[in-house]
Amino acid sequence: MDKKIVMQDIANELNISKNSVSRALSGKSGISDATRQDIINKAQEMGYNYKGENGNKVRHFAIIASLFTFSKKDFFGEIYSDIEKRLKKSNINLYVHSIDNESLKNLDIPKTISEGSVEGIIILSHLTDDYIKKILSYKIPTVIIDYHSPVIPADCVIAKNKEGAYKAVQYLIDNNHTKIGFIGDIGFSPSYEERWDGYLSALRKNNIKANKEFTITKVIEEKEDVFKKLSKLKEHPTSWFCVNSGLGFLLSLYYNSIGMRVPRDVSIICFDNTDFTRLAMPPLTSVYTDLSFFADKSLELLNHRIYHPDEPFLNIALPTEIIERNSVAKLKL
């Protein structure tokens, strides 16, 4: 009869402690991703059937995002946190992979993915299309959050970007604004381009011509670049639609710095209801998407893909709503 493999056998093979093996196979923290992966690989190689704390076999998912995406803690950080909590309750271990620019350029894929050690992958926002395609080449069920592209064959969960932007601009028009600016780098993300389309669509619907002077479609989300572009304007609009709350916050900083007051002199509405909207003076009216809904639908879609691998890919667009604060004034006719 073959000897039953126990944790100590795996520890002996790798010359590590039994406690390290236990932590790795139960999905606990306290060891590096590389060590955890070595332990999992050795356990599989030796035929060890490991289970989690509740007696069920531990499942493994991976979440992967760029350093830039993970830095956006008040948006993507909330989605990631919700996903992590939900997976922990389901006894699913989550590997977190933060991808730097060099790895993106060289298409360096984490071993947990390249060696097939996970059964599901969540891509948080945009990496590069080539990098995403490389991930998809491993044929592991994958869901992308807040990014989609016609050249990427994968399930995705996004906000209703065009509709949300349309609502925002219509809100400004309902408050008698016709000189409405736009700011956002539409080349950065398909989501931003869709918000640009929503902005234009609302103007067309109301027979308002877009003013090129007020439309800033290429900008770096940094104080220096935003201030520089705004300082070049010969005339300012009465209101702005911003593709995200970071730009809305920077706009409010700029106008306060030159003695113009929001909303007395200029109104601002932005997409995404992050902490920036509450830190601005005054707090910003924004387009809101339920971030916990992002987590729920992403995991629901990923599990569906795991058990239905041959079904057509789905694109789920989540609804938006306007959160009214104090940054939009109603103009007198």
Side-chain angles (χ1 to χ4, degrees):
M1 177 181 283
D2 292 337
K3 176 189 173 185
K4 181 181 178 181
I5 301 299
V6 296
M7 286 189 186
Q8 189 60 57
D9 296 325
I10 300 169
N12 292 342
E13 285 285 323
L14 296 173
N15 197 27
I16 57 178
S17 70
K18 179 182 175 182
N19 182 58
S20 294
V21 175
S22 176
R23 299 190 76 82
L25 299 184
S26 62
K28 294 181 179 178
S29 60
I31 59 173
S32 70
D33 284 346
T35 300
R36 187 190 304 276
Q37 191 58 51
D38 287 342
I39 293 169
I40 290 170
N41 290 343
K42 182 58 68 174
Q44 292 172 341
E45 176 189 316
M46 297 177 70
Y48 179 76
N49 185 22
Y50 57 95
K51 297 182 178 181
E53 292 177 318
N54 63 5
N56 296 324
K57 183 177 179 180
V58 177
R59 301 169 67 193
H60 300 278
F61 285 2
I63 189 166
I64 184 168
S66 68
L67 290 172
F68 175 80
T69 295
F70 274 129
S71 73
K72 301 295 180 179
K73 295 181 180 179
D74 57 347
F75 184 82
F76 293 112
E78 286 191 35
I79 297 174
Y80 157 66
S81 179
D82 280 345
I83 288 173
E84 186 179 43
K85 289 175 185 175
R86 285 160 173 75
L87 291 182
K88 190 172 183 179
K89 288 181 181 178
S90 300
N91 197 45
I92 298 175
N93 179 52
L94 182 64
Y95 293 106
V96 181
H97 299 296
S98 185
I99 309 303
D100 58 28
N101 290 333
E102 191 68 19
S103 295
L104 282 175
K105 180 180 177 181
N106 297 328
L107 301 183
D108 291 333
I109 306 298
K111 282 187 176 182
T112 54
I113 294 171
S114 63
E115 295 182 357
S117 300
V118 295
E119 63 174 298
I121 302 169
I122 298 164
I123 299 175
L124 199 53
S125 193
H126 187 218
L127 295 165
T128 67
D129 284 357
D130 285 342
Y131 196 90
I132 294 173
K133 287 178 181 178
K134 182 72 178 291
I135 291 174
L136 297 178
S137 72
Y138 294 102
K139 306 298 182 183
I140 300 171
T142 300
V143 168
I144 306 172
I145 296 177
D146 198 46
Y147 180 75
H148 66 111
S149 166
V151 301
I152 300 295
D155 296 311
C156 62
V157 181
I158 60 172
K160 287 187 175 181
N161 293 297
K162 184 174 180 179
E163 178 186 285
Y166 186 101
K167 285 181 181 178
V169 176
Q170 186 62 53
Y171 180 85
L172 294 172
I173 294 169
D174 290 343
N175 281 281
N176 301 326
H177 291 269
T178 56
K179 293 182 178 180
I180 302 170
F182 173 95
I183 184 166
D185 190 344
I186 63 174
F188 179 78
S189 162
S191 294
Y192 290 177
E193 188 172 6
E194 289 170 357
R195 293 170 192 180
W196 164 245
D197 289 341
Y199 162 84
L200 293 175
S201 181
L203 293 184
R204 284 195 300 269
K205 184 72 173 179
N206 290 276
N207 298 312
I208 299 172
K209 187 175 181 180
N211 188 330
K212 290 183 178 180
E213 177 76 10
F214 305 151
T215 54
I216 301 173
T217 56
K218 188 173 179 59
V219 62
I220 301 170
E221 194 180 328
E222 295 176 358
K223 181 178 177 181
E224 182 180 0
D225 195 50
V226 171
F227 277 39
K228 180 180 179 181
K229 285 181 167 57
L230 291 175
S231 67
K232 291 181 178 180
L233 297 182
K234 296 177 182 178
E235 180 187 359
H236 292 267
T238 63
S239 61
W240 287 93
F241 168 66
C242 313
V243 296
N244 65 25
S245 55
L247 287 169
F249 177 77
L250 291 173
L251 251 69
S252 69
L253 279 183
Y254 174 78
Y255 282 114
N256 283 328
S257 74
I258 64 171
M260 292 179 68
R261 293 290 176 260
V262 178
R264 184 193 68 192
D265 303 311
V266 61
S267 293
I268 297 174
I269 190 169
C270 60
F271 218 103
D272 300 332
N273 186 45
T274 71
D275 286 343
F276 281 121
T277 62
R278 293 173 285 279
L279 291 171
M281 295 296 291
L284 303 177
T285 296
S286 65
V287 180
Y288 170 71
T289 308
D290 189 336
L291 299 187
S292 65
F293 208 34
F294 261 113
D296 284 339
K297 286 301 173 185
S298 300
L299 291 175
E300 181 182 304
L301 189 54
L302 183 56
N303 275 303
H304 182 83
R305 177 58 55 194
I306 289 170
Y307 295 109
H308 303 86
D310 299 322
E311 288 192 1
F313 295 114
L314 297 176
N315 183 331
I316 296 178
L318 304 182
T320 62
E321 60 180 284
I322 302 292
I323 301 295
E324 293 185 282
R325 294 194 176 92
N326 301 314
S327 65
V328 176
K330 191 175 186 71
L331 297 184
K332 294 180 180 180
L333 293 175

